[in-house]
Amino acid sequence: MMLTVNGEAREFRDGMNALDIAGEMQGDLKKKALIARLDGEVISLVAPIAGGKELEILGFEDAAGRHALRHTASHVLAQAVLRLNPKAKLAIGPAIDNGFYYDFDVEEPFTPDFLAAVEKEMQKIVKKNDRLERFELPREEAIDFVEQQGQPYKAELIRDLPSDAVISFYRQGEFTDLCAGPHLPSTGKVKAFKLLSIAGAYWRGDEKNKMLQRIYGTAFFDKEELDEYLRRMEEAKKRDHRRLGRELDLFAIFDEGPGFPFFFPKGMVLRNELEKYWRELHAEHGYVECRTPIMLNQHLWEESGHWDHYKENIYSTKIDDQTYCLKPMNCPGGILVYKRKTWSYRELPLRMGELGIVHRHELSGAMHGLMRVRCFTQDDAHLFITPEMIKDEVIGVHRMDDLVYNLFGFKYRVELSTRPENSMGTDEMWEAATAGLKGALDELGVPYTINEGDGAFYGPKIDYHLEDSIGRTWQCGTIQLDMNMPERFDMSYVGPDGEKHRPVMLHRTIYGSIERFIGILTEHFAGAFPLWLSPVQARIMTITNRADDAARALEARLTAEGMRVELDLRNEKIGFKIREAQMQKTPYMLVLGDKEAEQGACAVRSRKEGDLGVMAVEDLVRKLRAEIDSKAL
RNA sequence: GCUGAUGUAGCUCAGUCGGUAGAGCGCGUCCUUGGUAAGGACGAGGUCACCGGUUCGAAUCCGGUCAUCAGCUCCA
């Protein structure tokens, strides 16, 4: 059998699998090379390989290798659970980004003690180092096989596979699981693993289904990697915005208002700076701004379709026999602003922004610090455009998104969300709208994934996702193309032909919500915000009270420049004052002793670079001014 | 909303078998006037989340409620 291995043609015996081949090649391969790719696709090492194919032997460092490791770890987990609880029903157990999980249907929920016992049992399985063997069964035999094992969820999975699907199983010791692979060759390779948590999860991710018990874990090829990962997770917890919000005195959420965040004076500086930048940016890009009421008559929400599609999330109250709703979205208000007059095509595009406060009654379990709240400010905008303008306007909005995310040094991921089940409008509208967004993304050459059925009820959308400190992603920016609201509200503009035409609406945000964005920013910078955003930009501290007057003069000078300065005249040692300012992530610490007071200078310390030496006050002002104005990171 | 865990001082946490609470940091007063990440002494501060039950007696045991955390579902 001729096979091209790692780009080189080689002769092998018929019936060999990737593992055998890797074994024969041991001489020129690293011991770790145990994952393979066949004709570009990652395969199980124990799958048989025919001649005339391209085989690439990969190292464990490869992402596919880690994926196989974690998938094998999830099988070991399931095997261990079955040993301790033979009645457990297995659902699914995939590898995920940083680990793996397995879902079980059990009579009694798992306890932390059980988790520890499972981990011990897993160690036994790893020690035994059983080989994983792959085999295939025809559909009916496969169903019989899993039913004999008392695994109804597996039978359901097989029944839902397409009729031409290959149904494969992996066996290790006494345990066999339905699985497409690939896997590591034996359980002994799962050396460094840890079970992390227990959680509930609905069967097939549908809340109408039974809630199963999920065990999360992670696995690495060696102990050092695992320890390093666990250490990084611990470190990441220190960046948690809920913790930093309290430590840096920025914001908090109290029991008295679940999901309703409070912003303290320092947190308000962040908000105000973000809003100030937002207004400047939008003015530059041809936007105007409006403001619409927080509370509006229910009739408006019925007309917009929100009442039909979103009422579980709407807060409402009766006023003089009429029901009023706290707005969950800004668009109907914006539409009323649009409809106040007749528009000419000459006036379009109309780009109208609004920092709009919305209230949504989110499920209690969904709340998460500032990331998921019940009251937030969207940096919203509605673009009223002609159909011909769609592509250019979407591209224009994307460029603003890109500009803003780059300003903060964010990496972002783009998703295109298509028509959901519970939506309004015609197929034609949805197709046209989706094609419009797609066309813009393709023209921009932006990589994106498609999120089937996740659009807004009135139109498809492009979403921008940003990462938090532990790698969870949150949707921030969005561009939603809407041909439904203009129809429902009978909106129009007068075209060159003197006739009325239907405009198209673009709903969009860049920050998404000021609250969520501040949460992401706080974690991204670990509280050490760039100078232009820092709630306190400099802290002036004296060595003895003989420098107090000079310190006050310096404070006055910097304040006159519009800089945010704190004064620390306390009778404390300079080391202590520095420590506190450093822990508060103060960008600049300005130290004044006898020397500096005499010279009209100050000793400058940067939180990043440490002591920068003595600087004349006017030089300092210029330095800070330049850094603030450049919005440098 | 669902599954599990948690709730003690402003913060981080002890509190054994049921006998009405403790530390460190922070805060206040005083001493110390010092050169780039913690100077010292003394002091104040708690309806042990809330409601109910068991008990002679509950931070502790039981039930309920609320909130938080990790997920699921849903979403900016």
Side-chain angles (χ1 to χ4, degrees):
Chain A
M1 173 180 75
M2 283 303 288
L3 195 64
T4 312
V5 182
N6 293 354
E8 190 187 321
R10 289 199 177 220
E11 176 90 33
F12 291 102
R13 291 189 311 280
D14 273 356
M16 287 178 85
N17 63 38
L19 184 62
D20 303 325
I21 291 167
E24 290 215 353
M25 293 180 63
Q26 203 67 279
D28 33 339
L29 284 174
K30 276 189 279 180
K31 260 192 283 177
K32 281 185 167 184
L34 282 161
I35 293 296
R37 215 176 253 148
L38 189 62
D39 285 346
E41 210 168 304
V42 175
I43 58 153
S44 162
L45 285 162
V46 289
I49 294 177
K53 297 211 169 175
E54 175 75 30
L55 180 76
E56 189 188 354
I57 310 278
L58 303 169
F60 273 163
E61 302 77 21
D62 187 89
R66 277 196 298 276
H67 195 86
L69 165 74
R70 287 163 184 166
H71 201 164
T72 304
S74 89
H75 279 216
V76 174
L77 165 61
Q79 185 177 7
V81 168
L82 274 185
R83 280 188 186 176
L84 298 174
N85 181 355
K87 281 201 252 169
K89 306 275 177 276
L90 306 181
I92 56 164
I96 50 176
D97 271 0
N98 285 310
F100 61 90
Y101 67 81
Y102 214 110
D103 286 347
F104 305 90
D105 183 3
V106 283
E107 284 178 17
E108 291 294 315
F110 294 142
T111 61
D113 285 347
F114 183 77
L115 206 63
V118 171
E119 215 169 66
K120 267 206 185 115
E121 199 59 43
M122 286 174 73
Q123 266 145 14
K124 285 190 208 159
I125 294 164
V126 169
K127 203 166 174 197
K128 195 155 160 258
N129 197 16
D130 282 320
R131 244 186 107 128
L132 274 88
E133 294 166 65
R134 182 181 190 277
F135 63 93
E136 293 173 11
L137 288 178
R139 193 183 196 81
E140 289 311 313
E141 279 179 49
I143 292 173
D144 284 349
F145 180 73
V146 294
E147 281 183 343
Q148 262 173 34
Q149 290 185 315
Q151 295 297 350
Y153 293 98
K154 296 292 180 190
E156 185 179 330
L157 289 173
I158 297 172
R159 288 200 179 91
D160 285 354
L161 287 172
S163 56
D164 58 344
V166 174
I167 299 167
S168 63
F169 291 83
Y170 280 78
R171 177 165 35 217
Q172 60 199 57
E174 82 285 1
F175 175 80
T176 305
D177 197 0
L178 170 72
C179 186
H183 280 280
L184 299 190
S186 69
T187 60
K189 306 284 177 205
V190 187
K191 281 196 197 84
F193 68 90
K194 186 166 174 58
L195 298 184
L196 299 172
S197 61
I198 307 165
Y202 300 107
W203 167 237
R204 302 202 135 180
D206 188 335
E207 65 179 328
K208 289 188 222 50
N209 289 338
K210 185 163 187 185
M211 179 158 271
L212 309 173
Q213 291 285 305
R214 175 172 296 179
I215 296 179
Y216 281 95
T218 192
F220 290 86
F221 285 115
D222 54 58
K223 181 100 171 43
E224 290 84 76
E225 265 187 294
L226 173 66
D227 290 345
E228 168 63 18
Y229 173 78
L230 296 174
R231 201 192 54 75
R232 267 210 323 275
M233 286 294 109
E234 276 308 305
E235 277 302 301
K237 277 189 199 157
K238 293 188 188 150
R239 302 168 75 108
D240 190 307
H241 75 283
R242 292 165 295 190
R243 174 179 174 150
L244 287 169
R246 195 179 52 237
E247 287 175 355
L248 305 181
D249 207 25
L250 303 171
F251 45 76
I253 299 174
F254 302 122
D255 282 6
E256 290 81 353
F260 302 110
F262 284 66
F263 281 82
F264 308 144
K266 286 179 181 171
M268 278 310 291
V269 173
L270 287 176
R271 286 191 77 113
N272 289 335
E273 285 297 326
L274 287 172
E275 291 185 4
K276 186 171 147 221
Y277 169 64
W278 186 89
R279 289 198 164 99
E280 288 164 6
L281 180 76
H282 284 70
E284 279 167 28
H285 284 78
Y287 282 69
V288 292
E289 188 177 353
C290 71
R291 185 176 188 88
T292 68
I294 289 182
M295 198 184 255
L296 290 162
N297 196 299
Q298 183 185 334
H299 298 310
L300 179 70
W301 305 103
E302 284 165 359
E303 196 176 351
S304 69
H306 285 85
W307 193 253
D308 276 350
H309 293 271
Y310 206 69
K311 64 170 163 298
E312 329 63 78
N313 287 294
I314 299 181
Y315 293 102
S316 62
T317 188
K318 278 239 152 102
I319 301 173
D320 296 343
D321 290 336
Q322 295 278 320
T323 303
Y324 281 78
C325 301
L326 283 176
K327 66 176 174 183
M329 297 184 195
N330 301 302
C331 26
I335 289 168
L336 294 183
V337 175
Y338 178 86
K339 284 189 64 172
R340 75 189 188 278
K341 54 166 266 192
T342 304
W343 293 84
S344 157
Y345 73 96
R346 295 174 188 278
E347 296 173 279
L348 303 187
L350 170 65
R351 307 186 185 105
M352 191 165 66
E354 172 174 16
L355 292 166
I357 297 169
V358 297
H359 289 75
R360 300 180 181 176
H361 183 248
E362 300 292 350
L363 293 176
S364 57
M367 251 99 69
H368 183 95
L370 289 187
M371 305 294 201
R372 192 76 182 278
V373 291
R374 284 175 169 162
C375 169
F376 56 101
T377 304
Q378 290 184 306
D379 65 314
D380 216 339
H382 296 102
L383 283 70
F384 303 90
I385 58 178
T386 70
E388 297 73 40
M389 296 173 180
I390 290 176
K391 199 165 73 181
D392 284 351
E393 289 301 315
V394 171
I395 287 172
V397 173
H398 170 83
R399 295 225 161 101
M400 286 171 81
D401 276 297
D402 188 61
L403 187 73
V404 172
Y405 303 145
N406 286 330
L407 175 67
F408 297 102
F410 286 137
K411 282 190 295 239
Y412 61 89
R413 205 182 70 223
V414 179
E415 287 184 12
L416 177 66
S417 295
T418 60
R419 184 173 190 173
E421 273 177 36
N422 181 20
S423 60
M424 62 189 195
T426 63
D427 292 350
E428 294 75 51
M429 275 183 187
W430 276 89
E431 271 161 39
T434 309
L437 291 180
K438 231 181 160 143
L441 282 178
D442 291 339
E443 178 154 330
L444 282 160
V446 178
Y448 62 94
T449 54
I450 294 192
N451 205 346
E452 219 59 73
D454 216 30
F457 68 83
Y458 45 78
K461 54 181 189 166
I462 296 170
D463 292 327
Y464 296 80
H465 295 255
L466 303 179
E467 256 183 40
D468 72 8
S469 59
I470 60 172
R472 292 180 290 212
T473 68
W474 298 88
Q475 184 191 319
C476 289
T478 184
I479 308 175
Q480 310 179 349
L481 186 44
D482 179 6
M483 299 176 165
N484 276 305
M485 295 285 171
E487 196 73 33
R488 286 180 83 100
F489 283 94
D490 191 28
M491 293 159 66
S492 62
Y493 64 90
V494 177
D497 55 0
E499 299 293 318
K500 279 187 175 181
H501 297 272
R502 192 72 76 204
V504 172
M505 264 179 93
L506 235 44
H507 311 240
R508 48 109 283 187
T509 63
I510 296 178
Y511 297 145
S513 87
I514 307 276
E515 288 75 8
R516 178 175 287 182
F517 202 76
I518 288 177
I520 297 268
L521 272 180
T522 304
E523 301 202 353
H524 179 72
F525 291 115
F529 301 102
L531 190 63
W532 71 278
L533 271 177
S534 281
V536 176
Q537 294 170 313
R539 186 156 184 166
I540 301 167
M541 46 192 77
T542 49
I543 289 172
T544 72
N545 57 17
R546 291 188 297 278
D548 285 3
D549 288 342
R552 288 196 191 91
L554 179 58
E555 181 196 25
R557 177 70 191 96
L558 295 178
T559 305
E561 281 292 321
M563 291 167 188
R564 301 182 288 267
V565 180
E566 276 181 352
L567 199 53
D568 185 355
L569 302 181
R570 290 175 305 169
N571 178 8
E572 296 288 354
K573 291 201 168 136
I574 196 65
F576 182 77
K577 294 184 180 184
I578 294 276
R579 175 183 151 83
E580 281 197 351
Q582 198 75 49
M583 287 196 311
Q584 285 291 304
K585 324 257 178 180
T586 313
Y588 287 98
M589 286 150 273
L590 309 175
V591 177
L592 290 172
D594 290 335
K595 263 189 300 185
E596 292 80 6
E598 222 169 274
Q599 303 167 11
C602 69
V604 180
R605 179 188 166 104
S606 127
R607 83 183 155 205
K608 281 186 290 210
E609 299 154 89
D611 197 344
L612 299 180
V614 177
M615 210 178 272
V617 169
E618 289 314 307
D619 290 342
L620 172 72
V621 168
R622 269 192 294 277
K623 176 181 165 63
L624 297 186
R625 174 87 285 137
E627 188 175 339
I628 291 167
D629 290 347
S630 71
K631 295 191 165 60
L633 288 179

